[in-house]
């Protein structure tokens, strides 16, 4: 095993050095340069030495929350399906999907987000955080078995890119970089495009990004930009919904709504029927089984990481205008709007929501467990995406999941969105709150008796859902990279 040999060798070298220093001797004068060179070469050989086993190993690295990194979880599951031993390294702020936790070929190595020196200039805090995170990653990667490949998500790529490239060089592993976006453009959302840290982050990303042995990316537009402006040849691997994302049977909808009603009043019956039956705001169980309530509200779903790249004031303004239409007599249903996710701006928007005077629109912001989130998407009537790509080159994973559930979507427009959302075919694209209000009115007019446009979108989504699964897409685009990558 390389890690124990490395630790023994390092301990022996350190003990020898300390002993010589305590004895008052200069280590270099006692141990000749050829011997020191030999020790360094021995360390280098140990680091690059591969175990004699036949197991193929891949490290999937996320310098973020594994539970909120669905694409990297799917990578791990696809690798295990092809008999790789997978080590997933990342934060465990939220629980990964059970299929990952229960897979005997997948090991999760949790790391924690480190903090730099508190107090003093922000630059000092940031620099010390980068240094400490680099040391943590280096230790974790060197302690594990030698990996055939390290598959890393970017962003975040600072400082992981440099550490992974160094470890891959030492251990003859291949470095595969999966570009989800550009880290420096995300940083520019909070710091501004001219900030020194943004400038440094861009230089870092442009230097280390092209050093990967193989590259994946999420859109054809990003692949083109990487080729033209970065000198990087990347394979486009479109996100596809996992098999868990599908339309939810009515019985499961009812069970989910009952569970949610325990914590969220929005899912409780709007008025008591006086009958001793099991019912929610949307469903009722009687002697004939579970049925949808004819006068039910429409269920609108959105999800977010509550960061600067999603302006939820657009949705809140549209909901306020929608409320005005209902009060004005428009033939529209009440709305239950569920916004799921965690993130830094959640409390900010919850305060805004609590200050709004709404009676025909109810908003709740739960955090859904991994197994319940697909069920809720598969129960909804319409989805909304506020994702505005910081680079204009990535696509919202939330829409991919919604499409897996055959859920029509209204999505905020940006540069390459048409690679996923086809306007008037599987959803609608809007540019501002007023246009979103008009689209909700068009989709939900006379709901649920008349859903012609929603039904049409659902039919199109059902027909396209099976055209290319994640597994097929992954086998075609990623598996050849693993077989052909050499270092």
């Amino acid at each position: 095993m390389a890690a124990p040999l490395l630790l023994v060798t390092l301990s022996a070298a350190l003990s020898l050095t300390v002993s010589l220093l305590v004895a008052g001797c200069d280590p270099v004068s006692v141990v000749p340069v050829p011997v020191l060179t030999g020790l360094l070469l021995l360390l280098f050989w140990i680091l690059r030495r591969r175990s004699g086993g036949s197991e193929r190993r891949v490290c999937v690295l996320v310098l973020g929350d594994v539970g909120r990194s669905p694409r990297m979880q799917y990578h791990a599951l696809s690798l295990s399906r092809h008999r790789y031993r997978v080590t997933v390294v990342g934060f465990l702020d939220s629980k990964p999907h059970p299929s990952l936790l229960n897979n005997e070929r997948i090991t999760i190595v949790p790391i924690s987000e480190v903090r730099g020196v508190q107090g003093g200039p922000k630059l000092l805090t940031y620099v010390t955080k980068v240094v400490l995170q680099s040391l943590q990653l280096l230790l974790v990667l060197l302690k594990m078995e030698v990996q055939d490949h390290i598959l890393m998500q970017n962003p975040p790529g600072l400082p992981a890119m440099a550490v992974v490239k160094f470890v891959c060089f030492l251990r003859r592993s291949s470095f595969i970089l999966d570009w989800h976006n550009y880290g420096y453009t995300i940083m520019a959302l909070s710091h501004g495009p001219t900030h020194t840290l943004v400038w440094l982050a861009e230089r870092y990303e442009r230097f280390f990004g092209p050093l990967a042995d193989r590259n994946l990316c999420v859109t054809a537009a990003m692949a083109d930009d990487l080729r033209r402006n970065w000198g990087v040849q990347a394979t486009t691997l479109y996100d596809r919904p996992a098999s868990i994302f599908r339309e939810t049977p009515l019985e499961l909808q009812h069970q989910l709504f009952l569970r949610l009603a325990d914590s969220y009043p929005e899912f409780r019956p709007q008025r008591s029927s006086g009958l001793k039956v099991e019912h929610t705001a949307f469903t009722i169980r009687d002697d004939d089984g579970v049925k949808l309530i004819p006068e039910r509200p429409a269920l609108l779903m959105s999800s977010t990481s509550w960061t600067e790249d999603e302006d939820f004031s657009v949705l809140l303004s549209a909901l306020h205008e929608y409320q005005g239409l209902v009060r004005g007599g428009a033939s529209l249903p009440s709305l239950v709007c569920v916004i799921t996710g965690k993130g830094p701006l959640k409390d900010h928007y919850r305060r805004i929501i609590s200050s709004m005077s709404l009676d025909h629109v109810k908003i709740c912001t739960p955090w859904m467990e991994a197994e319940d989130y697909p069920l809720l998407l598969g129960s909804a009537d319409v989805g909304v995406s506020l994702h505005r790509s910081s680079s204009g080159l990535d696509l919202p994973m939330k829409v991919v999941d919604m499409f897996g559930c055959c859920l029509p979507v209204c999505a905020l427009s940006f540069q390459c969105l048409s690679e996923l959302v086809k306007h008037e075919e599987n959803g609608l694209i809007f540019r501002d709150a007023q246009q979103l209000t008009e689209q909700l009115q068009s989709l939900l007019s006379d709901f649920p008796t008349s859903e012609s446009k929603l039904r049409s979108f659902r039919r199109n989504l059902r027909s396209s859902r099976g055209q290319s699964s994640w597994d097929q897409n992954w086998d075609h685009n990623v598996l050849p990279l693993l077989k052909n990558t050499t270092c």
Side-chain angles (χ1 to χ4, degrees), residues 441-460:
Q441 182 178 15
S442 170
L443 291 173
L444 298 175
S445 182
D446 294 317
F447 176 93
T449 56
S450 175
E451 304 174 72
S452 57
K453 188 169 285 191
L454 283 176
R455 286 199 185 101
S456 173
F457 291 166
R458 284 190 188 274
R459 281 196 301 269
N460 293 337

Side-chain angles (χ1 to χ4, degrees), residues 75-121:
H75 275 308
L77 291 169
S78 294
L79 287 162
S80 71
R81 183 168 52 86
H82 285 279
R83 313 299 297 170
Y84 282 91
R85 283 284 179 187
V86 184
T87 303
V88 178
V89 178
F91 306 155
L92 287 184
D93 298 332
S94 54
K95 188 175 73 172
H97 196 272
S99 58
L100 202 75
L101 297 173
N102 299 328
N103 192 307
E104 63 180 11
R105 303 190 68 84
I106 298 175
T107 302
I108 298 179
V109 177
I111 58 175
S112 57
E113 185 174 8
V114 300
R115 302 176 66 189
V117 172
Q118 301 301 301

Side-chain angles (χ1 to χ4, degrees), residues 207-264:
F207 179 81
F208 285 103
L211 298 182
D213 300 297
R214 292 289 187 271
N215 294 270
L216 300 168
C217 65
V218 294
T219 63
M222 179 171 280
D224 182 62
D225 188 74
L226 284 167
R227 177 182 55 80
R228 289 186 295 104
N229 298 319
W230 296 63
V232 170
Q233 296 294 326
T235 299
T236 301
L237 176 69
Y238 283 115
D239 285 313
R240 293 289 187 266
S243 59
I244 57 174
F245 289 95
R246 55 186 179 272
E247 293 179 85
T248 305
L250 196 53
E251 174 66 34
L252 291 181
Q253 288 188 36
H254 184 65
Q255 294 174 16
L256 174 66
F257 294 152
L258 286 173
R259 291 200 302 275
L260 290 172
D262 288 338
S263 303
Y264 303 100

Side-chain angles (χ1 to χ4, degrees), residues 82-369:
H82 285 279
R83 313 299 297 170
Y84 282 91
R85 283 284 179 187
V86 184
T87 303
V88 178
V89 178
F91 306 155
L92 287 184
D93 298 332
S94 54
K95 188 175 73 172
H97 196 272
S99 58
L100 202 75
L101 297 173
N102 299 328
N103 192 307
E104 63 180 11
R105 303 190 68 84
I106 298 175
T107 302
I108 298 179
V109 177
I111 58 175
S112 57
E113 185 174 8
V114 300
R115 302 176 66 189
V117 172
Q118 301 301 301
K122 288 185 178 180
L123 184 60
L124 176 63
T125 300
Y126 192 77
V127 169
T128 53
K129 176 180 178 178
V130 167
V131 171
L132 292 173
Q133 195 85 70
S134 298
L135 293 173
Q136 180 197 47
L137 279 177
L138 186 63
L139 179 61
V140 168
L141 295 176
L142 290 181
K143 280 177 65 179
M144 69 176 60
E145 290 276 2
V146 173
Q147 307 291 302
D148 295 294
H149 313 277
I150 299 180
L151 172 57
M152 183 196 132
Q153 169 185 305
N154 179 62
L158 198 162
M161 276 186 188
V163 175
V164 170
K165 183 60 184 178
F166 177 65
V167 171
C168 286
F169 167 73
L170 287 180
R171 311 191 83 172
R172 291 185 298 170
S173 304
S174 76
F175 179 15
I176 303 175
L177 190 56
D178 191 0
W179 298 80
H180 297 195
N181 201 342
Y182 297 144
Y184 77 91
T185 62
I186 294 177
M187 189 178 289
L189 292 175
S190 54
H191 294 288
T194 60
H195 196 281
T196 302
L197 284 178
V198 176
W199 183 86
L200 290 171
E202 180 180 3
R203 296 302 179 274
Y204 175 94
E205 204 166 7
R206 286 187 179 276
F207 179 81
F208 285 103
L211 298 182
D213 300 297
R214 292 289 187 271
N215 294 270
L216 300 168
C217 65
V218 294
T219 63
M222 179 171 280
D224 182 62
D225 188 74
L226 284 167
R227 177 182 55 80
R228 289 186 295 104
N229 298 319
W230 296 63
V232 170
Q233 296 294 326
T235 299
T236 301
L237 176 69
Y238 283 115
D239 285 313
R240 293 289 187 266
S243 59
I244 57 174
F245 289 95
R246 55 186 179 272
E247 293 179 85
T248 305
L250 196 53
E251 174 66 34
L252 291 181
Q253 288 188 36
H254 184 65
Q255 294 174 16
L256 174 66
F257 294 152
L258 286 173
R259 291 200 302 275
L260 290 172
D262 288 338
S263 303
Y264 303 100
E266 294 81 7
F267 289 89
R268 297 170 192 162
Q270 294 180 321
R271 61 182 66 88
S272 175
S273 64
L275 301 175
K276 293 183 178 180
V277 292
E278 194 178 68
H279 60 303
T280 70
F282 305 93
T283 55
I284 186 169
R285 184 195 297 278
D286 58 21
D287 293 338
D288 297 324
V290 177
K291 299 185 177 80
L292 289 170
I293 298 173
E295 311 81 29
R296 68 186 181 275
L299 179 55
L300 184 150
M301 274 291 301
S302 189
S303 61
T304 177
S305 54
W306 297 109
T307 53
E308 289 88 350
D309 64 348
E310 292 179 308
D311 183 3
F312 265 79
S313 65
V314 175
L315 176 58
L316 298 182
S317 295
L319 293 178
H320 183 268
E321 292 300 317
Y322 182 94
Q323 159 112 342
L325 292 173
V326 178
R327 284 178 173 172
S331 182
L332 293 169
S334 296
L335 269 181
V336 172
C337 175
V338 181
I339 308 172
T340 68
K342 292 180 180 178
L345 295 180
K346 184 172 184 176
D347 288 341
H348 166 72
Y349 280 110
R350 288 180 71 175
R351 286 192 293 270
I352 295 176
I353 291 169
S354 64
S355 69
M356 297 175 68
S357 176
L358 300 173
D359 48 15
H360 295 287
V361 177
K362 298 179 180 179
I363 305 172
C364 63
T365 57
W367 167 250
M368 303 296 297
E369 294 296 335

Side-chain angles (χ1 to χ4, degrees), residues 5 61 220 244:
L5 283 171
L61 174 62
I244 57 174

